Amino acid sequence: MLVVMKNDATDDQIEQVVARIHELGYEARPVPGSDRTAIGIVGNEGALDPSPFIAMPGVKEAIPVTRPYKLVSREFQSESSVIPISEDIKIGDDTFAIIAGPCAVEDEALTLDIAEKVRAAGAHMFRGGAYKPRTSPYSFQGLGEKGLKILARVREKVGLPIVSEAIDHTVYDIVEEYCDIVQIGTRNMQNFSLLRRAGRSTKPVILKRGMAATVEEWLMSAEYIVNEGNPKVILCERGIRTFCNHSRNTLDLSAVLFLLQETHLPVIVDPSHASGRREQVIPLSKAACAVGANGIMVEVHSKPEKALSDGQQSITPEEFGQLAYEVKHIANIVKELGKCL
Ligand code: PEP
Ligand code: MN
């Protein structure tokens, strides 16, 4: 249930509604908007009776929220969330956000070289895995804390905010300490204790879609984080498993369109893991921008043929330069024409 206050409702009237919600044994989540405040009721199992609220002073209406996810739905908050990352970088505003960097941090000189090149080409944020979730236990598992330290030094020199993955709750604290954004990967989308941990953080979280998750399951995972107290969630579509074998995964751009309607959270696209193929990364990035996604996260490596993970889908810094150039043109056209929705 969403209790929408009148635009001239006083703070006292808002507090009375919050107190009534608590009295009934539920939690209240006020969402101040540009003209009026709405108060979400969470913690109820079934449908709620709107009558106790409608009669209260300052209340305009009480709307049942029909979705299983509440806090992340547009029913609950109609304005799009803009997530601040650093003083001058945000995700979810008018700028098409570009995150680029290697799949894994391998060594400092290489990481710095890639970061300098992607920044010069127009990246807004830098990615690099220090803890890698690998299918094989014999594959490179990442440099761990040493990798995070490299990322922190690279941020100092290059000035881009950094994104890295927390693969489990034992490393969440340290990844959070070093990074500007913590990534929760596809294999952990339904790791509920990790989602709760992310919800107790003040750092933004990129929540990747589970490789076989429905959009509803994905939004419920985001709800875990927001419900625990962290509203800074960015959804990342990274392709799903299908019967197709011409690409590593199938990029589900219609899910992006659906999400832009269904949730106020920003939605970005990872064309690298979606395709698994270098030659598809630029076209899919442009497609993501054209459907109105809020940004992309792309794997870039100076020597893809020697990369310790995901070389086949990593583009070179030069190719990234072309990508950034083309995507910025598409972003301008999208802005000019208005979003598809
Ligand atoms: C990654 O971004 O490096 C990664 C492992 O992605 P995903 O969780 O989407 O496979
Ligand atoms: Mn990768």
Side-chain angles (χ1 to χ4, degrees), residues 102-104 127 132-134 183 208 248 270 272-273 299 309-314:
C103 178
R127 65 150 287 152
K132 293 305 304 174
R134 302 305 298 278
Q183 177 175 320
K208 291 190 133 191
R248 181 174 176 179
D270 172 347
S272 309
H273 292 88
E299 287 186 339
S309 67
D310 286 348
Q312 73 293 345
Q313 66 196 34
S314 300

Side-chain angles (χ1 to χ4, degrees), residues 2 23 30 45-46 94-95 101 108 113 134 152 173 196 204 214 228 237 239 249 255 281 312 319 335 338:
L2 191 60
E23 253 169 49
E45 291 276 315
D94 263 4
T95 311
E108 188 153 348
D113 178 56
R134 302 305 298 278
D173 288 9
R196 284 207 181 90
T214 64
E228 201 70 27
E237 160 61 35
N249 292 294
V281 170
Q312 73 293 345
E319 288 165 328
K335 228 189 255 179

Side-chain angles (χ1 to χ4, degrees), residues 219-329:
L219 287 170
M220 294 306 289
S221 292
E223 186 87 5
Y224 263 89
I225 303 174
V226 179
N227 187 41
E228 201 70 27
N230 184 357
K232 297 180 206 157
V233 180
I234 299 134
L235 299 167
C236 179
E237 160 61 35
R238 48 79 70 203
I240 47 170
R241 282 271 169 91
T242 67
F243 54 84
C244 296
N245 58 7
H246 59 268
S247 57
R248 181 174 176 179
N249 292 294
T250 297
L251 179 59
D252 187 3
L253 284 180
S254 67
V256 175
L257 283 172
F258 180 77
L259 285 168
L260 293 170
Q261 270 181 326
E262 201 58 21
T263 178
H264 53 83
L265 298 176
V267 185
I268 64 169
V269 166
D270 172 347
S272 309
H273 292 88
S275 66
R277 297 172 67 149
R278 187 173 311 135
E279 70 278 12
Q280 293 188 356
V281 170
I282 295 181
L284 293 180
S285 300
K286 291 194 287 184
C289 183
V291 297
N294 298 105
I296 44 170
M297 178 156 71
V298 184
E299 287 186 339
V300 179
H301 198 287
S302 317
K303 296 191 182 82
E305 62 295 346
K306 293 208 171 129
L308 297 180
S309 67
D310 286 348
Q312 73 293 345
Q313 66 196 34
S314 300
I315 57 172
T316 62
E318 294 66 37
E319 288 165 328
F320 175 74
Q322 184 66 24
L323 180 154
Y325 172 81
E326 292 188 21
V327 150
K328 279 177 188 170
H329 276 287

Side-chain angles (χ1 to χ4, degrees), residues 52-160:
F53 305 106
I54 294 170
M56 293 185 74
V59 171
K60 181 169 180 274
E61 54 187 334
I63 309 167
V65 174
T66 51
R67 309 292 198 269
Y69 39 86
K70 277 188 191 170
L71 304 174
V72 304
S73 72
R74 274 216 196 260
E75 279 187 326
F76 186 71
Q77 181 187 314
S78 57
E79 276 164 54
S80 297
S81 287
V82 176
I83 317 275
I85 309 297
S86 64
E87 254 173 44
D88 49 353
I89 309 265
K90 297 183 178 74
I91 300 183
D93 65 358
D94 263 4
T95 311
F96 186 72
I98 304 182
I99 307 171
C103 178
V105 177
E106 298 177 15
D107 70 58
E108 188 153 348
L110 181 71
T111 310
L112 183 60
D113 178 56
I114 301 169
E116 279 170 342
K117 287 177 174 156
V118 297
R119 190 203 49 188
H124 305 104
M125 286 157 271
F126 186 67
R127 65 150 287 152
Y131 298 92
K132 293 305 304 174
R134 302 305 298 278
T135 302
S136 164
Y138 309 117
S139 302
F140 176 59
Q141 304 285 310
L143 297 180
E145 186 173 0
K146 191 175 156 211
L148 293 175
K149 288 192 165 142
I150 291 175
L151 285 172
R153 285 196 289 272
V154 165
R155 173 179 48 204
E156 203 142 290
K157 289 188 182 141
V158 178
L160 294 179

